[in-house]
Amino acid sequence: MNTTSNSLLTLHFDVRGALLDAARDCEEEVFLQAFGNTRQQLDEEYGPYSDQSVFAAVSDDAGHVLGACRIITPGPVGLKTLNDLSRAPWGVDGARSARAAGLDAANFWDIGTLGVRRDARGSKTAISLALYHAIIVGTTVNEVAGITAILDEPARRVLSMADFVLPTLPGTRTGEYLGSEASTPVYGHRASVLDAQRRLNPEAYRLMTQGVGLDGISIPAPDAFRLRPRLVPALAPAMPAPMVIAA
């Protein structure tokens, strides 16, 4: 579906209701086109993580979602990336890999899916950057230590060009995964990844982290990226008192 409106697109976080349904439809379309993943396959893969999943989305003023990202928060079934390390082609103990990386699975977010529709109006790059901005600000305001993901290599290259560098999880390598010919399990400690990007690539830092210069996309204030009550209990044990993908 092409949109012809000249109005701003809008970035949303922790979407609910009709917008959540639209985000799931976007996820389904993107991953079917990119990797041949059917809705049944997506349900089999991500269904166990449904109660721990939060969606960010970029929509037009009619509620049509042009790009969406599934974030898996800590919870009873763990993080999908770490769980899937035991599968081919890796055959790695996810908990052991996490310990070697200094990764606290109780205070990391897993980026399950991220994609933009092929027919999206405006800059697909800007929509992707807006979704990454949601991840960055979301981890910041919710005091989450970092992210993990299994990244399709084209998406990883794009992030590397922006000096948003996510190291490979210990014991793993690039391999086939869920229809992707080349995907790599990665992780990043939020503070160190953002500090490196700020020093090495100020322009990318301005776009991704600060959300400045994402022309045509309305970016909400940081407090809009705070998880709503339904998901806060899953993070509570790791929070002090008061961080795959097709791009």
Side-chain angles (χ1 to χ4, degrees), residues 30-247:
V30 170
F31 278 78
L32 180 62
Q33 292 178 344
F35 305 113
N37 301 147
T38 64
R39 171 46 61 188
Q40 180 179 350
Q41 290 173 318
L42 291 176
D43 287 344
E44 290 172 353
E45 291 291 333
Y46 295 99
Y49 304 91
S50 181
D51 290 343
Q52 297 171 212
S53 292
V54 174
F55 277 81
V58 175
S59 76
D60 62 17
D61 55 4
H64 179 60
V65 171
L66 307 178
C69 172
R70 177 194 293 262
I71 299 166
I72 300 171
T73 64
V77 297
L79 302 180
K80 181 171 172 56
T81 289
L82 298 182
N83 291 340
D84 284 5
L85 295 190
S86 64
R87 298 163 54 165
W90 303 295
V92 170
D93 183 327
R96 183 175 181 180
S97 180
R99 287 194 298 270
L103 186 166
D104 179 5
N107 195 25
F108 260 58
W109 283 357
D110 193 4
I111 311 309
T113 64
L114 189 152
V116 178
R117 292 183 191 269
R118 291 179 180 175
D119 64 351
R121 169 171 63 85
S123 169
K124 296 178 179 61
T125 298
I127 294 172
S128 294
L129 290 174
L131 294 171
Y132 289 123
H133 176 72
I135 295 166
I136 292 167
V137 181
T139 55
T140 301
V141 301
N142 291 288
E143 301 182 51
V144 176
I147 61 172
T148 187
I150 299 179
L151 284 181
D152 185 47
E153 279 303 289
R156 191 182 187 199
R157 286 195 296 271
V158 169
L159 291 177
S160 295
M161 289 173 61
D163 288 297
F164 191 87
V165 179
L166 301 175
T168 302
L169 275 164
T172 71
R173 56 181 173 80
T174 300
E176 295 184 14
Y177 176 75
L178 296 182
S180 166
E181 295 182 357
S183 285
T184 307
V186 299
Y187 72 102
H189 295 277
R190 173 174 51 83
S192 59
V193 170
L194 296 183
D195 183 63
Q197 187 190 49
R198 177 183 58 80
R199 290 183 289 103
L200 297 172
N201 197 331
E203 177 62 18
Y205 181 84
R206 188 172 73 95
L207 288 166
M208 290 180 62
T209 300
Q210 298 179 316
V212 176
L214 294 176
D215 296 338
I217 302 177
S218 176
I219 305 296
D223 197 57
F225 297 92
R226 196 173 301 281
L227 288 178
R228 288 185 269 176
R230 178 175 61 87
L231 290 171
V232 167
L235 289 174
M239 296 271 292
M243 182 219 296
V244 135
I245 302 172

